[in-house]
Amino acid sequence: MKDIFFDLSVRSVKLNFLRSLLASIGIVIGVVAISSMGMLGTNMQLSVKQQLSSNVNTIMISSDVVRTTTTAGTPVTSQGIDKSTLNDIRNAAGQNDVIPIHRTSTQFTIGSTNGRGSIIGLDPNDITKFLTIDQGTNIKGGSDALVGPNIASNFNMNIGSRIKIGQDNVSITRPTVRVSGILTTRGFTSDGVNTDNAIIVPDTWYTDHYGDKDLYGQVNVILKNIDTINQTEAAIDDKVNRKTDVVRISDASSRLSSISSTLGTITTFILAIGSISLVVAAVSIFNVMMMSVNERVQEIGILLSIGTEKGEVRRMFLYEAFILGIIGAVVGGICSLVIGYSVVSAMIGNTAYFFLPESIVYVPYGMFIGIVVCILSGLYPAWRASNMDPIEALRAE
Amino acid sequence: MSEVPLIRLADVTKVYYLESGDFVALDHVSLDIMENEFVAIMGPSGSGKSTMMNQLGILDVPTSGELFINGKNVAVMTTLERTHMRRDIIGYIFQKFYLIPLLSAYENVEYPLILKYKHRDTSGKAAAVLKSVGFDDTLSAHRPSQLSGGQQQRVAIARALVNDPKILLCDEPTGNLDRKTGFQILDVLTGLHKEGKTVILVTHDPKIAEYAHRTIQLEDGKVVAS
């Protein structure tokens, strides 16, 4: 059954084609804004979560900076984690891998180019427990080193390259390490070990040159089973922080959730910006609907006088708003896929999550909102049309 | 004549409240119109003809007094009941035809059927009524803007007739037509009266009023002759 009021609406839209088209373009822009912003936010969250959760099974332990001192005026300092604390951690951690980490930042020279980066001291046996070597081999000799991919490409390092470590000073002969391997990109890590711009040296080499023997900046515990994270943390806390807070214990899962919630807020924010364009579109739809009503006053008068119910007149104008909404939503939905894909690939550089339900759902979601906005904008004009006095309306020219 | 009038105005007054003061458009008018009458309502402009039309067409309600149409008191009806009464009992024929510009001639005639039965006409009634006013299928497919004045008025008559109303309310139906076409339209109305319709014709032209069997003369909102 074809509804004559729907027919009338379609014809009215066709009759004022350009005007209707322009109003629909407003909706198209609104739908595209909402959908692509939503997809951008979701893809960002998914790709960051993916990167973070790869080392979510790590507990990070660092020395508690704030230490109580007995003497007033003594500066509060961080000392690092000492050997007995490390042993306590090893005991509390049970079967899990415990990785003590030395770290500082240093100047270095490769060839004749000076650079600056992190230098990380690790037991060579610990390296493969959480790092992946892309080229070359793990540290074998006492002055072998691994380098991160960024540092390697920035300074044109190859396997066998030699790096002079320390301040460039003619009066001192600087120690040299030999690159035995290059690590894979880790990106933004959540275990506190950012190796992309770092030089990894054996712990013995590190303590020989920087001191700090048996004193570590950070100790990571890599869990065999992620579900034991809370009980392991509690065990370490009980053992180490028995009297006073000696170490601070954190893990990526809490950081992951706080980053996720931050990203969620950002997504909401950019969605809100996208919605502004829909508000503008709503105003333009409202305007077009009011024009349609005002131009058709006499026609409305005819409809009402020959026995059209108010509800039917209302329906006719709501259909018109709905048609504008449908056109805008369908075109907007198609454009969203194209533009959203381009935006995601340009800004995140990774479209692996684009077609996942939680990302692609923003297209129907945006379309639905676009249609709802149109119908809402049509409510008042439709109400106004249906409540006209037929005598007055007939008299209008 | 039958005993119950089809239309009864009992002491009907219509006042328009304007900023310049109250304007009494109908002043204590009492009037009966029986079924199958052919009545002309005459009077100079400003005499209350249009107000009378609006009352008879249930587009408006009296300020005081009572108006009965088809035995029902218009004042106590809901808006929806009035709308349905306009749709079912009354056929309107206007001076300016007032066809729906977006619909074809056929759809204009079909429209009241859709209002009444809530679906497209499958009975062939719209086509039959159009045929009776001299329209074939080709002509029926035209939009009002593609038709001459006489043709548009025929479509308007067909639209007025399609729901088989008791009353045909004609407001200067020949006002926008040339003389020849005007008389053709009046002949159509005369024929419809013969078929049993109650025809009410508002005009200021005495020649046209002659077609009617009874003339109600209005002056300053009062009936001066009926």
Side-chain angles (χ1 to χ4, degrees):
Chain A
M1 187 188 75
K2 250 181 117 187
D3 190 339
I4 193 149
F5 299 105
F6 188 74
D7 265 11
L8 276 168
S9 313
V10 171
R11 288 176 201 189
S12 168
V13 170
K14 279 187 190 161
L15 192 69
N16 299 297
F17 181 72
L18 186 64
R19 190 175 75 190
S20 308
L21 185 76
L22 289 175
S24 283
I25 287 176
I27 292 295
V28 170
I29 295 170
V31 170
V32 168
I34 290 224
S35 307
S36 44
M37 294 292 182
M39 289 190 287
L40 176 66
T42 308
N43 280 272
M44 188 167 73
Q45 284 187 51
L46 289 172
S47 92
V48 170
K49 262 188 204 170
Q50 167 68 33
Q51 287 177 25
L52 289 181
S53 56
S54 60
N55 35 39
V56 76
N57 60 341
T58 302
I59 299 172
M60 287 170 284
I61 302 158
S62 54
S63 169
D64 198 49
V65 175
V66 182
R67 290 179 66 236
T68 49
T69 55
T70 46
T71 320
T74 309
V76 173
T77 54
S78 169
Q79 279 203 324
I81 296 168
D82 59 23
K83 193 167 188 174
S84 74
T85 310
L86 179 63
N87 281 332
D88 286 345
I89 293 170
R90 281 193 200 278
N91 289 335
Q95 296 289 306
N96 299 306
D97 289 326
V98 175
I99 298 170
I101 301 162
H102 290 290
R103 177 172 38 202
T104 188
S105 84
T106 181
Q107 208 183 50
F108 59 84
T109 306
I110 165 103
S112 57
T113 319
N114 289 331
R116 182 162 266 285
S118 300
I119 183 152
I120 298 172
L122 288 170
D123 182 335
N125 294 325
D126 284 342
I127 290 175
T128 48
K129 288 175 182 161
F130 70 107
L131 297 176
T132 315
I133 297 161
D134 186 31
Q135 300 170 39
T137 55
N138 196 3
I139 292 166
K140 285 176 193 144
S143 60
D144 279 355
L146 294 170
V147 289
N150 293 357
I151 213 168
S153 70
N154 290 345
F155 293 94
N156 292 318
M157 293 179 191
N158 299 308
I159 310 299
S161 295
R162 288 181 192 276
I163 311 168
K164 286 180 191 159
I165 307 285
Q167 194 87 25
D168 189 6
N169 189 333
V170 277
S171 61
I172 297 170
T173 312
R174 287 180 289 169
T176 302
V177 291
R178 177 191 160 271
V179 176
S180 71
I182 298 170
L183 297 168
T184 53
T185 305
R186 294 196 88 200
F188 177 70
T189 61
S190 59
D191 60 3
V193 187
N194 298 311
T195 56
D196 288 356
N197 276 308
I199 299 166
I200 320 285
V201 294
D203 51 350
T204 48
W205 192 96
Y206 186 95
T207 50
D208 284 350
H209 293 92
Y210 290 96
D212 275 355
K213 191 165 165 57
D214 296 330
L215 197 62
Y216 303 95
Q218 183 179 338
V219 175
N220 279 4
V221 178
I222 300 174
L223 297 164
K224 294 206 158 51
N225 180 0
I226 182 74
D227 296 332
T228 62
I229 191 158
N230 287 331
Q231 68 190 72
T232 311
E233 281 181 16
I236 295 168
D237 194 46
D238 275 355
K239 188 94 179 166
V240 182
N241 292 340
R242 201 166 34 214
K243 288 174 191 153
T244 55
D245 280 353
V246 178
V247 296
R248 203 161 5 155
I249 302 164
S250 61
D251 65 70
S253 68
S254 63
R255 217 199 280 188
L256 180 67
S257 68
S258 83
I259 288 175
S260 297
S261 95
T262 308
L263 287 175
T265 312
I266 293 171
T267 305
T268 313
F269 178 70
I270 57 179
L271 266 180
I273 292 175
S275 330
I276 293 173
S277 61
L278 260 190
V279 173
V280 176
V283 173
S284 110
I285 291 285
F286 180 83
N287 189 30
V288 161
M289 292 306 299
M290 284 310 282
M291 278 164 79
S292 184
V293 169
N294 288 337
E295 274 172 14
R296 291 160 75 190
V297 171
Q298 194 176 65
E299 191 184 327
I300 296 162
I302 299 168
L303 297 179
L304 289 170
S305 67
I306 63 174
T308 311
E309 292 167 21
K310 283 182 175 191
E312 289 166 332
V313 173
R314 235 179 350 252
R315 201 165 83 213
M316 183 172 82
F317 282 96
L318 286 178
Y319 276 146
E320 193 169 324
F322 180 70
I323 293 167
L324 297 179
I326 285 282
I327 295 171
V330 169
V331 176
I334 296 165
C335 293
S336 300
L337 287 176
V338 178
I339 294 173
Y341 192 86
S342 318
V343 168
V344 166
S345 86
M347 292 189 66
I348 300 174
N350 177 6
T351 51
Y353 309 104
F354 187 78
F355 292 104
L356 288 184
E358 53 261 64
S359 157
I360 211 81
V361 75
Y362 278 95
V363 174
Y365 180 65
M367 289 169 72
F368 175 75
I369 292 181
I371 294 170
V372 168
V373 160
C374 270
I375 293 173
L376 288 180
S377 308
L379 280 180
Y380 173 74
W383 176 85
R384 208 177 106 99
S386 67
N387 278 291
M388 281 184 183
D389 176 5
I391 302 169
E392 296 280 329
L394 275 178
R395 224 179 274 153
E397 283 302 324
Chain B
M1 283 199 182
S2 59
E3 39 310 312
V4 182
L6 183 58
I7 298 172
R8 160 165 281 178
L9 283 80
D11 207 26
V12 165
T13 297
K14 181 68 194 180
V15 183
Y16 291 111
Y17 302 99
L18 307 173
E19 279 184 27
S20 52
D22 296 352
F23 175 73
V24 182
L26 285 180
D27 192 359
H28 300 282
V29 173
S30 293
L31 193 68
D32 284 355
I33 295 172
M34 298 298 175
E35 196 156 355
N36 198 21
E37 272 199 277
F38 194 154
V39 182
I41 298 174
M42 284 199 69
S45 62
S47 60
K49 291 196 303 286
S50 296
T51 308
M52 178 75 107
M53 272 301 282
N54 293 339
Q55 295 289 330
L56 298 178
I58 335 178
L59 291 166
D60 205 352
V61 287
T63 310
S64 69
E66 282 175 326
L67 169 63
F68 295 90
I69 292 182
N70 205 26
K72 285 184 181 140
N73 187 349
V74 169
V76 300
M77 288 161 74
T78 65
T79 311
L80 189 63
E81 283 171 333
R82 279 189 219 125
T83 303
H84 288 165
M85 196 168 216
R86 285 205 295 276
R87 183 187 72 193
D88 301 339
I89 308 274
I90 303 167
Y92 299 82
I93 299 161
F94 302 97
Q95 180 178 0
K96 292 177 190 162
F97 325 129
Y98 287 153
L99 297 174
I100 301 163
L102 290 173
L103 298 181
S104 69
Y106 174 81
E107 288 165 328
N108 262 285
V109 177
E110 187 193 19
Y111 181 81
L113 288 172
I114 296 169
L115 290 184
K116 189 167 180 176
Y117 301 108
K118 310 295 178 200
H119 60 78
R120 300 302 284 244
D121 178 38
T122 49
S123 65
K125 197 170 178 187
V129 177
L130 263 170
K131 208 174 173 195
S132 76
V133 295
F135 267 60
D136 60 21
D137 289 351
T138 323
L139 209 50
S140 301
H142 287 75
R143 292 270 174 97
S145 57
Q146 299 166 311
L147 298 172
S148 72
Q151 287 171 328
Q152 288 190 53
Q153 197 59 300
R154 283 170 190 273
V155 175
I157 292 173
R159 178 179 70 183
L161 289 172
V162 78
N163 267 342
D164 205 15
K166 285 190 170 176
I167 306 163
L168 275 180
L169 211 48
C170 318
D171 186 5
E172 303 273 14
T174 61
N176 270 10
L177 303 174
D178 61 70
R179 280 181 65 80
K180 191 171 160 243
T181 319
F183 286 124
Q184 283 172 358
I185 294 295
L186 285 168
D187 287 340
V188 173
L189 293 178
T190 308
L192 290 168
H193 170 243
K194 284 201 181 113
E195 286 168 23
K197 302 287 181 205
T198 307
V199 180
I200 301 169
L201 185 65
V202 173
T203 183
H204 63 276
D205 185 345
K207 277 223 165 63
I208 287 163
E210 276 172 19
Y211 276 78
H213 301 160
R214 175 184 168 201
T215 302
I216 296 164
Q217 195 80 37
L218 280 175
E219 249 169 59
D220 296 332
K222 290 191 176 78
V223 177
V224 292
S226 89

